Amino acid sequence: MPVQAKQLNFSNISSDFEKFFNQNQYNLLSMLNHFFDISDFIPLSFYQKYYSNFGRKRNFSLESMINAFI
């Protein structure tokens, strides 16, 4: 008996992810915070530019700003 393979395409994955995101938005964001340390992906030069003395005082950390954009 031949095995029936289902081909995945980007639109199916995108629509499935959108459906999951809309149903479990809070769970998805809490999982991202729990399993990914965003500071590991931020280069030192980006930290230096964000916290440079030439700009204004930052009320929020760089990690929290990037999480807000995600």
Side-chain angles (χ1 to χ4, degrees):
M1 177 186 287
V3 176
Q4 294 286 338
K6 181 181 177 185
Q7 183 176 358
L8 295 175
N9 60 25
F10 186 71
S11 66
N12 288 346
I13 294 171
S14 177
S15 63
D16 289 344
F17 180 77
E18 184 176 347
K19 189 186 315 178
F20 173 77
F21 181 75
N22 289 332
Q23 292 174 353
N24 303 312
Q25 189 170 11
Y26 178 74
N27 292 337
L28 178 65
L29 294 177
S30 64
M31 283 191 325
L32 285 174
N33 286 336
H34 181 70
F35 290 108
F36 290 107
D37 186 14
I38 194 75
S39 61
D40 291 341
F41 299 103
I42 303 171
L44 180 62
S45 61
F46 200 76
Y47 274 109
Q48 290 171 341
K49 290 293 182 180
Y50 184 78
Y51 292 113
S52 70
N53 292 331
F54 297 114
R56 60 185 204 191
K57 183 171 173 21
R58 305 293 181 181
N59 294 329
F60 301 103
S61 69
L62 178 59
E63 291 87 359
S64 66
M65 293 298 291
I66 291 176
N67 282 329
F69 287 121
I70 292 174

